Amino acid sequence: MVSAVSEPSAVSGPGSAGPGKARDVDPLGDPFLRTRLAVPARPTTFLRRDRLAGHLDQALGTPLTMVNGGAGAGKTVLVADWADRLERPVAWLTADASDQAPGVFWAYLLQALRACGVREAEQAGHPADPVSVDHTLLARLAAALNAREEPVIVVVDDYDRVSAPEITEQLGFVLQHAGPGMCLILVTRTEPLLPLHRYRAEGTLTEIREAELAFTCEEAATLLELHGLRLARDAARALVERTRGWAAGLRLSALAAQQSSDPENYLKEFEAGQSTIADFLLAEVLKRQPAATQDLLLRVSVLDRFCPDLANALAGRQDAGPILAGLHRANAFVEHLGHSWYRLHPLFSEILAAHLRVRLPGLEAELHRRAAAWLRSCGPLPETLAHGAAAGDWEFTARALVDDLAIGQFFTGPRTGVRTQPRSADLGELFSRMAPDAGGPEARLVRAARALTDHDVDRARTQLRHARQELDADRPRRVAARLSCALLEVLAAGLTGAPGRAEHAAQTVWELQQEIPPELLDRHPELAALLQTHLGSARLWAGRFDDARAALRTAAAGSGGASTAVPREESLSRLALMDYLDGWPGRAERGALAALTDAERFSLSEPAGPALGHLVLAAVAVDRDELDEAQTLLDRATAAQPEPPDPVAAAGLVIARARLQLARGQVKAALRTAESAVPAAVASPWAEGHTALVVSAAHLAEGAPETAAKVLRDAAEQGGACAVGAARAQLAAGNAEAALDLLADLPAAESSGPAVTVRAALVRAQAAARAGDEATARRLAAQALADARRERLRRPVLEAGPWLRRLLGADPLAGPYGHRNAAPRAPGAARTPGGEQPAPLVVEELSGREQDVLQRLALMLSTEEIAADLFVSVNTVKTHLKSVYRKLGVNRRGEAVRRARDLGLL
Amino acid sequence: MRYEIRVDGHMSETLAKAFPELDHVVMSGQTVLFGPVVDDAHLYGLLARCQSLGLRVLEMRRVPE
């Protein structure tokens, strides 16, 4: 069964649910369903049982409460009634099949917390990736809840629908670390995979089980009285025995009896029967309904939720409204969710579905098709797609997706490549079932999008070509499909390094946008973000950095919502790469860290894109001669994706890896790495230039300056780093004049950062020293060293060679930096502590808790001791430590304390 | 693997259709569902299906092929 909902009034904040606000939409980009966050209403015949409510009051004193029993045991109504009378805010979440994706589950749980005014939920952030949720988000949430004065009460109803074991694990983690800040109540048919024995042993579990939920004879008699039936004591006892006090059984028998001519006798006969209770009673109640009602009930059994209009669409009638209202009043089968949405009681819906298959065989697919058609005009897209898929109508389903302009969600939603298990929430998974012969250009677009997520560009382009032909024949209609087609062409062009094609396709997208209703575009900020990111990436590949920056900055500055988290992160890391290539390591590092922090905040799973961010950090680390750190970052970048799919990241990897190998003295390996080809439609000037730079440096290291100079002869026109490299090679080959000419042509300062200017100044200093002008040489070298120190650039100084030591060794003014670096170290050797401190870089302020941990770290306390001192768990301390390290840009505690002292944080 | 699942009460023919992959036989106040079970996932799925239909499982056992 697939779920179906909703008109605007059933979702949160109609009108205000702007796409830009991450808070109003779940990670799939859909508005939160308000009905899932509301405490369910009780039926008119609800019987409050004080013994159960009294037991439930103990939930306020224990972190975990479990109410479990089979379908129809009366769990939900009990907790809902208790919660409503509590006079305290309760965060209520009804679990759903779509919660199999942890990101969706946590987004809903956080929304439930926000809905009942828990401010702590804001601090935790928003999961962006439906598939996974970042551990630090959970840690933030738990820590924030832990600090609360009064516990927040959280109810998760239908928890048995949450079958993904990692969600339970995560819930257990939050529960443990929230301490007294949270009371969790799980309403479930099956025991969750939490360590219940431990909670029981600690006395921190309140349990209400099926036996306790069962009705006693007195309660049963009272319940039947509410239905207008008076039963003798013996008859009541017999009925309880027959039904084992099962609430749904009692309710159904009351209904069946009410409708018979002799209720008392009817119940007596029922007692004597031997049929399975629910089955028999449901059939009894069903057959007493008018034919129209029976038909309607059978048909809506394919839906999780429905409103009268949707039910009408399925049954081909006009009178579903009064029928449903009547059924609800009679407390038969349907429950009211509010806003005139209903659902079948879960127990009955399963049995009714069985009846549907018997009585109206073959109708199921047609009903799904009708539901999909109705939902397409006024319901949320995922439900439409789910029903379309269940009906097996792929042409329709693909068209519904494309017409909604949702094709971008293949790239911003969960990624098929990194999925650990199939998810219902995953577009890729949904469409993986698509029939291979499904026709229509939209189905082709879907296939192309899936091929692109698999990085199979050839297959994607074949599909796109056919789709475009079919769409061109249908002009001027199908604007959304033509726009989607052009967007996918931009993405394909970005992946193949084809800037011309990207520009052309982007132009088409912008033209077609004029024909799309603005509100539809507003709902899909990911479209523009994806377009700008991949257009920018193609421009970057072509070396048009200014144009690339314009596009990437647009994408990076877009709405801060979850739906654009992936393109935003990719744009930020590409901007960082350009800063690095232009010689601004500090800016590059800040940019890459911003990209990674943003990715973390939205729980993007690696290697959704953080790969390039790590590559940039690795390259910066090489420039700073932090070679072990660089290796770690490189390993991280390539761990999940050894070969980046797009040429920009692939070239970045080649450059970073070759530079690291060169710095470690592995000249041959560096040359081999630099030779590895990056396949692309057009050549990239900077990729070629920077690769040539490494090759040239490798030849210099091997004592072949002529070869080194030759390698860079053409690349020198690329300006910046390449020109300086060429100058250095020329100088080494003895052509001082040629070297100075190259440096004289250096472009303006803005486009060349310290990594370039420091190297240029060192080459000038060396040339001056050779010419015998020691004073100029010393002045230039001192200036270069000062600039290098500010950016912590060690590598250019180390590269410069022994002449620098001779030059500065004669000069008493040279600081320890010059001395230390002038003494050549074995490549890759660990840095000695002390000496020159690099200019510190703080990206983020430490939180209060992180400060606490840091102070104890400075007192040489162990992790366990810190945990004990702060009354938190060891894991919490480790989480804080990790973010302290990240914020301070260090890897070890000793470094963290030193850096913190330098920054005056201690 | 072949299993038989014994549930309390007589199941109607209609409800038995909710287990199209299994045969069933009604005897002495109980219904026995029996047939091939593909794997563990299928097995747990059958149990969940019983629960969602309000059936009371009395016994579940593997039977020789």
Side-chain angles (χ1 to χ4, degrees), chain A residues 805 808-809 811-812 814-823:
Chain A
R805 180 182 45 179
L808 297 171
D811 188 338
Y817 188 39
H819 277 298
R820 199 169 66 77
N821 284 290

Side-chain angles (χ1 to χ4, degrees), chain A residues 705-890:
Chain A
E706 281 83 8
T707 322
K710 216 168 81 190
V711 168
L712 276 174
R713 203 166 46 211
D714 301 328
E717 284 161 28
Q718 294 310 321
C722 295
V724 176
R728 196 172 142 230
Q730 289 290 0
L731 186 64
N735 309 324
E737 220 161 284
L740 291 174
D741 280 351
L742 282 165
L743 293 180
D745 292 343
L746 267 189
E750 180 46 31
S751 61
S752 304
V756 175
T757 55
V758 164
R759 286 185 170 95
L762 287 171
V763 173
R764 284 202 182 95
Q766 192 181 3
R770 284 214 187 160
D773 185 355
E774 286 252 329
T776 308
R778 255 200 293 278
R779 185 176 52 75
L780 285 166
Q783 183 58 44
L785 286 183
D787 290 347
R789 203 170 299 156
R790 203 172 311 117
E791 284 277 349
R792 295 156 58 199
L793 283 168
R794 289 196 178 78
R795 187 64 2 217
V797 182
L798 288 171
E799 275 170 4
W803 65 270
L804 190 60
R805 180 182 45 179
R806 280 198 301 277
L807 180 72
L808 297 171
D811 188 338
L813 290 175
Y817 188 39
H819 277 298
R820 199 169 66 77
N821 284 290
R825 295 192 284 115
R831 258 170 301 143
T832 46
E836 176 65 18
Q837 284 301 329
L841 176 94
V842 184
V843 264
E844 242 179 290
E845 276 194 24
L846 298 184
S847 73
R849 215 50 172 164
E850 287 160 2
Q851 286 267 21
D852 292 344
V853 171
L854 186 63
Q855 275 156 12
R856 281 157 184 79
L857 207 59
L859 299 171
M860 306 298 284
L861 293 186
S862 73
T863 308
E864 288 75 17
E865 287 165 334
I866 296 175
D869 199 29
L870 292 174
F871 300 104
V872 296
S873 78
V874 169
N875 276 332
T876 308
V877 174
K878 283 181 180 162
T879 308
H880 286 315
L881 276 178
K882 245 176 76 181
S883 51
V884 169
Y885 290 173
R886 181 176 57 76
K887 288 178 180 178
L888 293 176
V890 298

Side-chain angles (χ1 to χ4, degrees), chain A residues 398-693:
Chain A
R399 199 160 175 178
L401 176 85
V402 170
D403 283 353
D404 194 71
L405 280 188
I407 196 99
Q409 288 173 3
F410 271 105
F411 307 94
T412 56
R415 275 153 302 278
T416 41
V418 296
R419 200 179 55 216
T420 49
Q421 44 181 292
R423 311 286 191 185
S424 56
D426 184 335
L427 272 188
E429 205 272 328
L430 182 87
F431 280 101
S432 69
R433 306 199 302 268
M434 182 161 81
D437 59 346
E442 287 87 358
R444 288 196 184 281
L445 293 178
V446 165
R447 277 188 215 110
R450 293 194 58 221
L452 285 175
T453 57
D454 291 342
H455 312 307
D456 185 346
V457 183
D458 289 341
R459 190 155 55 91
R461 289 184 59 194
T462 310
Q463 293 292 345
L464 286 174
R465 199 172 53 243
H466 288 300
R468 197 173 43 227
Q469 282 164 4
E470 289 171 33
L471 288 167
D472 281 347
D474 206 17
R475 271 173 199 272
R477 298 189 298 133
R478 293 187 154 168
V479 181
R482 280 189 282 140
L483 186 145
S484 303
C485 184
L487 175 75
L488 293 177
E489 279 165 358
V490 176
L491 267 57
L495 277 178
T496 42
R501 278 209 303 273
E503 297 284 353
H504 182 258
Q507 199 56 46
T508 309
V509 174
W510 288 321
E511 281 163 17
L512 289 169
Q513 269 181 3
Q514 311 302 322
E515 301 174 39
I516 303 265
E519 59 275 13
L520 184 56
L521 283 173
D522 285 348
R523 273 203 289 123
H524 291 287
E526 77 274 5
L527 280 191
L530 282 168
L531 173 74
Q532 298 283 7
T533 301
H534 288 84
L535 179 62
S537 192
R539 287 172 176 174
L540 162 64
W541 178 248
R544 290 160 49 205
F545 282 13
D546 289 340
D547 296 340
R549 280 201 180 90
L552 292 172
R553 284 196 181 128
T554 313
S559 71
S563 63
T564 53
V566 171
R568 196 165 56 239
E569 188 274 326
E570 289 186 1
S571 294
L572 284 170
S573 53
R574 275 163 181 73
L575 286 166
L577 176 69
M578 282 189 282
D579 281 336
Y580 168 77
L581 293 172
D582 279 347
W584 297 94
R587 278 189 209 169
E589 184 184 47
R590 277 193 296 278
L593 284 174
L596 295 177
T597 310
D598 196 52
E600 192 172 87
R601 190 171 138 67
F602 284 95
S603 299
L604 298 182
S605 53
E606 295 179 57
L612 183 58
H614 285 126
L615 282 178
V616 172
L617 289 179
V620 170
V622 173
D623 260 359
R624 294 186 172 154
D625 200 40
E626 295 162 354
L627 303 185
D628 291 339
E629 168 78 3
Q631 187 66 58
T632 310
L633 287 161
L634 262 187
D635 292 345
R636 244 185 115 177
T638 54
Q641 221 172 32
E643 284 173 40
D646 74 310
V648 170
L653 175 62
V654 167
I655 292 166
R657 181 179 282 156
R659 285 195 157 276
L660 176 60
Q661 286 164 336
L662 198 58
R664 285 199 188 281
Q666 301 159 352
V667 178
K668 290 273 180 290
L671 281 172
R672 266 198 308 278
T673 304
E675 275 164 18
S676 50
V678 174
V682 303
S684 168
W686 59 265
E688 285 181 354
H690 276 260
T691 315
L693 198 56

